[in-house]
Amino acid sequence: ETGVTQTPRHLVMGMTNKKSLKCEQHLGHNAMYWYKQSAKKPLELMFVYSLEERVENNSVPSRFSPECPNSSHLFLHLHTLQPEDSALYLCASSQEPTLAGGPGELFFGEGSRLTVL
Amino acid sequence: GNSVTQMEGPVTLSEEAFLTINCTYTATGYPSLFWYVQYPGEGLQLLLKATKADDKGSNKGFEATYRKETTSFHLEKGSVQVSDSAVYFCALSDPESDGNQFYFGTGTSLTVIP
């Protein structure tokens, strides 16, 4: 497999369920991201992991819990979500930016479409 | 701070029409600028980029020039095709000031009709 792979592609869950989204990148990158895409809104950065350490957490509610066990895998654990959390969750990866080389290009997965009932 | 503003959609064009999608940015430093495209049911993919002022990014007939004097990075294509129907996102990144942060616009939906 190549690129960034996300599973599941579609997920329907109740507000009391616990589920996880999985992302795997096969590009040898060392930074991974979770974004939330809702209709009519800019992409919202949720979490960034660089070299397996969390470097960004944009005031995301604690009902979203990320995990990055290694540089190729990223999870988003979900529990007690609200209907307004329904959205497309996009995973991305990049090579750590360098001052000489500029920012690394983001490579996105196809997303996990989450519906919270 | 850093931010991106792009024109609201949706945009509907006939095949072979000229396309412009406006994007302006605010930045504290010297960012790199990107256009990403999202086809239906897919994630975002990089369309083109420019890393410094006056650079022109181009790909698949699309072009955008990094204009520092007008803080703009407008996307253009001379003759659109039905297959160009997608959502287009302008984005900015400035590692010196913001590390791994990418700033995206709200996206502009383009529909090309035969």
Side-chain angles (χ1 to χ4, degrees), chain A residues 9 31 33 35 37 40-43 45 48 50 55-56 58 88 90 96-97 99 102-106 108-110, chain B residues 10 32 34 36 38 41-46 49 51 87 89 93-96 98-106:
Chain A
R9 293 293 308 279
Y33 309 71
Y35 281 88
Q37 185 178 28
K40 308 291 185 187
K41 288 186 176 181
L43 261 68
L45 178 64
V48 181
S50 177
V55 296
E56 199 81 41
N58 285 0
L88 182 68
L90 291 166
E96 180 68 17
L99 294 180
E105 172 192 340
L106 282 177
F108 284 87
E110 294 183 320
Chain B
S32 293
F34 306 81
Y36 280 82
Q38 185 177 31
E42 299 184 13
L44 280 71
Q45 54 186 277
L46 181 67
K49 68 178 181 182
T51 57
V87 181
F89 293 87
S93 180
D94 184 5
E96 283 192 46
D98 261 337
N100 301 80
Q101 178 77 280
F102 279 74
Y103 297 85
F104 286 87
T106 52

Side-chain angles (χ1 to χ4, degrees), chain B residues 37-97:
Chain B
V37 58
Q38 185 177 31
Y39 297 104
E42 299 184 13
L44 280 71
Q45 54 186 277
L46 181 67
L47 180 60
L48 54 84
K49 68 178 181 182
T51 57
K52 62 182 187 296
D54 299 326
D55 269 2
K56 178 187 282 187
S58 61
N59 186 25
K60 300 182 182 179
F62 291 89
E63 291 183 341
T65 301
Y66 189 161
R67 302 276 189 209
K68 191 177 177 189
E69 63 276 14
T70 54
T71 61
S72 64
F73 193 55
H74 304 321
L75 182 68
E76 296 182 336
K77 186 173 185 182
S79 175
V80 293
Q81 305 300 312
V82 172
S83 57
D84 294 326
S85 298
V87 181
Y88 293 81
F89 293 87
C90 187
L92 171 160
S93 180
D94 184 5
E96 283 192 46
S97 65

Side-chain angles (χ1 to χ4, degrees), chain A residues 14-115:
Chain A
M15 289 193 288
T16 58
N17 291 159
K18 286 186 180 181
K19 297 285 184 183
S20 296
L21 306 181
K22 178 184 175 182
C23 177
E24 184 173 0
Q25 60 98 359
H26 308 271
L27 300 167
H29 290 161
N30 52 21
M32 295 188 77
Y33 309 71
W34 279 115
Y35 281 88
K36 177 182 178 182
Q37 185 178 28
S38 305
K40 308 291 185 187
K41 288 186 176 181
L43 261 68
E44 298 175 49
L45 178 64
M46 301 175 73
F47 300 104
V48 181
Y49 277 82
S50 177
L51 302 171
E52 300 162 40
E53 288 193 15
R54 190 191 304 182
V55 296
E56 199 81 41
N57 174 2
N58 285 0
S59 302
V60 179
S62 59
R63 57 185 184 269
F64 295 92
S65 173
E67 178 190 1
C68 187
N70 55 61
S71 60
S72 299
H73 294 86
L74 184 65
F75 295 89
L76 188 63
H77 303 300
L78 316 169
H79 63 98
T80 59
L81 295 192
Q82 304 298 312
E84 60 265 27
D85 297 323
S86 299
L88 182 68
Y89 289 84
L90 291 166
C91 174
S93 70
S94 73
Q95 195 59 24
E96 180 68 17
T98 63
L99 294 180
E105 172 192 340
L106 282 177
F107 288 79
F108 284 87
E110 294 183 320
S112 293
R113 173 71 62 187
L114 173 66
T115 303

Side-chain angles (χ1 to χ4, degrees), chain B residues 11-17 19 79-86 88 110-114:
Chain B
V11 174
T12 302
L13 295 173
S14 297
E15 208 165 19
E16 299 183 6
L19 168 72
S79 175
V80 293
Q81 305 300 312
V82 172
S83 57
D84 294 326
S85 298
Y88 293 81
L110 170 67
T111 301
V112 180
I113 54 178

